Amino acid sequence: MMQKQRALSAVGLWWRWVLATLVGAVIGNIFGISACLAGVHYLSDRLIALSICHTGFGSLTCAVSTGIVCGSIFVGAFVGLMQYVVLRRFLKAPAWWILASTFGWTWIGFAATSLAYTAQFGFVMNTDGSFAESNIIDRIPLLVTNSLWLALAGILLGVLQWLVIWNGKKTKSPDRRSFLWIAVNVVLALFMAIAIMAIFRGRGSLYGILLFFLGFTPFYATITAATLVKMHLHKSPKLVEDKMLSIPLAD
């Protein structure tokens, strides 16, 4: 006998999504901190020994790069897993959400940390070998470049998750409202870039990055929950189909 699926209101979807995202972030950070420390103090040494990582990537050293990737994988996976619990009643292929979230949030974590470590002032070497003090004006090209990497990560996350939403609903053509998901993720990534440059000013730390993302999560959860409601995800064809299948047939 097929169990009847109860309809979910817009408010119900909103608070379940916010709660799932917050719980996933907390659990993910608990495991992510351990993974990050293991990456910094153990895995990075192995990568250096294997000549995979030499001087690091961009403004990050090998140790920081390895640590933030390891930590971000766990955070992205647990956030995606908890969000999957909410989405599974609306989509026909929600399991892909976990993989898309893990990959996308790992890139965001790496790009955000790289931007936080990008100095806004310091010293530069002149052609004659002397040093001169530089300011934020001199660093604008590098800051813009690293900000664009973060924006690109937001685009990637939005597109991958949008594909899961669209393909999971198995509609012939995407609903125009569904493109809101990509736009919101890009805007949130750009907002994150501005906040990082204003808060860290090139003095990033893994502890500071952790606190930043914990503070950013409620904001992200609230905005994306409102976006799902705006997309009318709670009126998903899968939910309607499940309700129809749950109606008992006459003998």
Side-chain angles (χ1 to χ4, degrees), residues 14-35:
W14 186 90
W15 76 259
R16 280 174 172 81
W17 179 265
V18 171
L19 180 62
T21 303
L22 295 179
V23 171
V26 171
I27 298 175
N29 275 286
I30 292 175
F31 287 94
I33 291 173
S34 300

Side-chain angles (χ1 to χ4, degrees), residues 170-247:
K170 293 191 179 298
T171 54
K172 293 182 179 180
S173 60
D175 189 339
R176 286 181 298 177
R177 287 189 299 265
S178 68
F179 289 106
L180 279 172
W181 189 257
I182 301 176
V184 165
N185 276 275
V186 175
V187 171
L188 287 174
L190 290 174
F191 175 82
M192 187 187 300
I194 295 172
I196 287 174
M197 287 189 289
I199 294 172
F200 291 97
R201 299 182 61 81
R203 297 186 293 271
S205 67
L206 292 178
Y207 178 73
I209 288 293
L210 170 64
L211 293 180
F212 174 81
F213 273 104
L214 286 176
F216 180 78
T217 299
F219 180 75
Y220 161 81
T222 302
I223 298 299
T224 51
T227 304
L228 290 176
V229 172
K230 183 70 174 178
M231 291 163 55
H232 293 172
L233 191 66
H234 57 293
K235 299 179 181 179
S236 168
K238 180 179 186 296
L239 187 59
V240 175
E241 177 184 309
D242 289 344
K243 291 177 66 179
M244 292 179 63
L245 290 173
S246 66
I247 299 175

Side-chain angles (χ1 to χ4, degrees), residues 72-82 98 101-102 105:
S72 297
I73 288 174
F74 276 87
V75 174
F78 276 99
V79 170
L81 176 62
M82 294 305 299
I98 302 174
S101 298
T102 302
W105 279 112

Side-chain angles (χ1 to χ4, degrees), residues 50-106:
L50 294 172
S51 299
I52 297 176
C53 181
H54 298 283
T55 59
F57 302 91
S59 57
L60 304 181
T61 63
C62 288
V64 174
S65 300
T66 306
I68 198 64
V69 168
C70 292
S72 297
I73 288 174
F74 276 87
V75 174
F78 276 99
V79 170
L81 176 62
M82 294 305 299
Q83 291 175 342
Y84 157 82
V85 174
V86 178
L87 291 175
R88 62 181 180 175
R89 68 182 299 175
F90 302 112
L91 306 178
K92 293 184 177 180
W96 284 101
W97 186 273
I98 302 174
L99 183 60
S101 298
T102 302
F103 184 76
W105 279 112
T106 299

